[in-house]
Amino acid sequence: MQFNHIDFDTYFKNYPDADGFFGKYGGSYIPQELQTAMDEITEAYYTICKSSKFVSELRRIRKEFQGRPTPVSYLERLSGKLGNVQLYVKREDLNHTGAHKLNHCMGEALLAKYMGKKKVIAETGAGQHGVALATAAAYFGLSCDIYMGAVDIKKQAPNVARMKILGANVIEVTDGLQTLKEAVDAAFMAYCKEYKDAIYCIGSVVGPHPFPMMVRDFQSIVGIEAREQFMEMTGELPDAVVACVGGGSNAMGIFSGFLNDPVDIYGVEPLGRGPALGDHAASLAYGSEGVMHGFNSIMLKDANGGPAPVYSVASGLDYPSSGPEHAFLHDLGRVKYDVISDDETIDAFFELSRMEGIIPAIESSHAVAYGIKLAKQMNKGSILINLSGRGDKDMDYIIEKYGIR
Ligand SMILES: *Cc1c(COP(=O)(O)O)cnc(C)c1O
């Protein structure tokens, strides 16, 4: 398919380019000492991860440990209620640990093993990435250091407990506001010192090259499976594909399967409480070009041009930028990015739970809400929604804040 002069037949061969750019977005804006470490990872990725030994080991792990392929489910009752549009969900909530994040963590940790590293290092905010990485580290027998702000450690007690049970070291960061930003800085600093023995594992399609590419490629299994399953179930392609976008890894995973198809693709960002800066985390909708965390993309800026404070009811979408490939697809117009508010999200959370017996993560509920909205606008056709994770982790919060509806 041709789109704005981009040939999607050869898209994955051309993007990113050798320096990690998707058009003007991406790249690597980091200190030289860290660049040496990134170059080593890039080199290893192109050699090791493309080898048949690595590919077949990862394939076996996905099947035997993660429980892949995850199914696609037809939402019969919800579709019936909405009219003539058929809704389907790709069930990443059924991936081991309950979300898509394990897809790239297993890939990154397997790469660490092949590179002879003894340790994986990462930061975590809400703790989801930390739990997925701690799981992968336990599986491969690697040690695991997770940097986490002191404020987040207090807020996310169950995930801290899970990481510790899995054998990870949770390292408390007490600088500044004691949240994600400080945890990123501390983890990067530790990595600078330890890169000979350790590998840094980024939790989404963000950060310096090669991470946006590598995480996309590890997540692309979601799109490959979903396309095949949908074709088998219905004999055709969906008319639309929908996913929520925080950093953008679950979205790139499913989108990558459909970029070369005549399918409308929608990325859904969190509008939170509204469009005022500080009330949302919709970086593509309201942001502008800029560099943060080592990559160039579209970001939300504060008065000094740094990352702005952001908010979303879904802690996993609470990030002031999105992966560079999303910025690129946004500018090309190949993917339409739109927003969903907290209120619409919570309605969808209960709707899917009650109508289908699937409790979605609050992050994923953004995509469900958008799918429902889209179904009301289309009078026929089908929509495939990526259900990035399950909502067990959100239950206490929902009951406390919204009660039982
Ligand atoms: C972390 C998370 C997200 C957001 O991350 P992306 O990189 O944008 O996919 C979405 N859904 C769930 C369930 C998550 O845990």
Side-chain angles (χ1 to χ4, degrees):
M1 193 169 87
Q2 285 274 340
F3 205 91
N4 277 354
H5 311 295
I6 301 282
D7 181 358
F8 279 96
D9 260 346
T10 53
Y11 176 83
F12 294 107
K13 288 226 178 305
N14 296 328
Y15 299 99
D17 69 16
D19 297 318
F21 282 95
F22 302 86
K24 62 182 172 177
Y25 302 112
S28 181
Y29 299 82
I30 52 177
Q32 187 51 47
E33 64 224 275
L34 212 52
Q35 190 58 52
T36 309
M38 286 299 155
D39 290 345
E40 189 198 340
I41 298 176
T42 306
E43 168 77 26
Y45 179 70
Y46 281 121
T47 52
I48 296 167
C49 296
K50 305 292 178 190
S51 74
S52 71
K53 189 159 179 266
F54 183 95
V55 170
S56 58
E57 187 165 356
L58 190 57
R59 204 169 276 163
R60 182 185 61 76
I61 289 166
R62 282 172 175 160
K63 179 164 180 246
E64 295 173 7
F65 178 65
Q66 293 181 232
R68 303 202 70 89
T70 59
V72 166
S73 302
Y74 171 47
L75 305 182
E76 186 168 356
R77 292 220 308 133
L78 189 56
S79 301
K81 182 179 166 188
L82 292 171
N84 294 324
V85 175
Q86 312 305 316
L87 292 173
Y88 294 79
V89 283
K90 173 63 171 166
R91 302 290 305 278
E92 290 306 293
D93 59 317
L94 296 178
N95 196 33
H96 179 45
T97 71
H100 71 288
K101 282 196 177 74
L102 193 66
N103 298 330
H104 59 250
C105 285
M106 293 308 284
E108 288 170 331
L110 182 61
L111 178 60
K113 186 184 114 175
Y114 273 66
M115 289 173 78
K117 306 289 186 191
K118 301 280 177 282
K119 183 193 274 191
V120 289
I121 296 177
E123 77 290 334
T124 195
Q128 295 300 108
H129 176 52
V131 168
L133 190 61
T135 302
Y139 181 89
F140 291 112
L142 298 165
S143 73
C144 179
D145 285 356
I146 302 292
Y147 291 80
M148 194 169 183
V151 168
D152 288 333
I153 287 183
K154 277 205 198 72
K155 261 196 190 143
Q156 307 291 344
N159 276 342
V160 174
R162 286 167 88 192
M163 285 185 269
K164 287 183 175 166
I165 287 170
L166 290 160
N169 308 309
V170 179
I171 299 162
E172 185 175 35
V173 179
T174 54
D175 305 321
L177 295 175
Q178 313 188 351
T179 62
L180 182 62
K181 187 191 169 299
E182 292 78 21
V184 172
D185 294 342
F188 260 81
M189 244 147 69
Y191 180 52
C192 269
K193 288 196 199 110
E194 299 181 69
Y195 77 87
K196 290 214 163 59
D197 297 319
I199 183 172
Y200 192 83
C201 294
I202 292 180
S204 188
V205 287
V206 299
H209 181 61
F211 281 97
M213 167 184 73
M214 192 161 87
V215 171
R216 172 197 73 189
D217 292 352
F218 288 141
Q219 286 295 344
S220 67
I221 186 63
V222 176
I224 291 167
E225 285 176 9
R227 188 179 187 282
E228 204 175 290
Q229 291 164 321
F230 195 92
M231 292 288 286
E232 192 184 302
M233 288 167 85
T234 70
E236 46 192 45
L237 288 165
D239 293 288
V241 169
V242 179
C244 66
V245 179
S249 64
N250 88 89
M252 273 324 305
I254 197 158
F255 293 174
S256 64
F258 297 92
L259 285 176
N260 196 30
D261 290 321
V263 170
D264 294 329
I265 303 179
Y266 298 90
V268 184
E269 294 191 295
L271 181 61
R273 296 181 288 247
L277 190 66
D279 279 348
H280 64 82
S283 45
L284 296 165
Y286 298 104
S288 55
E289 188 180 347
V291 172
M292 60 173 260
H293 297 165
F295 66 105
N296 185 42
S297 188
I298 298 175
M299 61 180 275
L300 293 165
K301 295 172 187 166
D302 64 15
N304 302 318
V310 287
Y311 160 82
S312 165
V313 65
S315 52
L317 302 181
D318 206 340
Y319 188 65
S321 185
S322 290
E325 193 165 11
H326 285 292
F328 182 56
L329 294 168
H330 169 270
D331 285 7
L332 286 177
R334 176 63 191 96
V335 176
K336 181 176 162 49
Y337 293 88
D338 208 342
V339 295
I340 280 288
S341 70
D342 280 4
D343 289 344
E344 294 168 297
T345 298
I346 300 304
D347 287 347
F349 172 90
F350 281 105
E351 190 79 347
L352 191 71
S353 301
R354 298 282 162 84
M355 296 293 292
E356 298 290 344
I358 301 170
I359 302 177
I362 304 184
E363 291 81 4
S364 324
S365 301
H366 284 75
V368 175
Y370 197 81
I372 291 171
K373 209 167 167 174
L374 200 59
K376 289 175 180 164
Q377 289 160 17
M378 292 162 53
N379 49 31
K380 63 179 174 52
S382 59
I383 302 172
L384 173 63
I385 301 162
N386 198 20
L387 203 77
S388 54
R390 65 176 184 227
D392 303 51
K393 67 184 178 58
D394 300 315
M395 225 82 75
D396 291 347
Y397 175 81
I398 292 271
I399 294 291
E400 193 186 309
K401 180 127 190 250
Y402 299 93
I404 291 287
R405 299 216 170 151

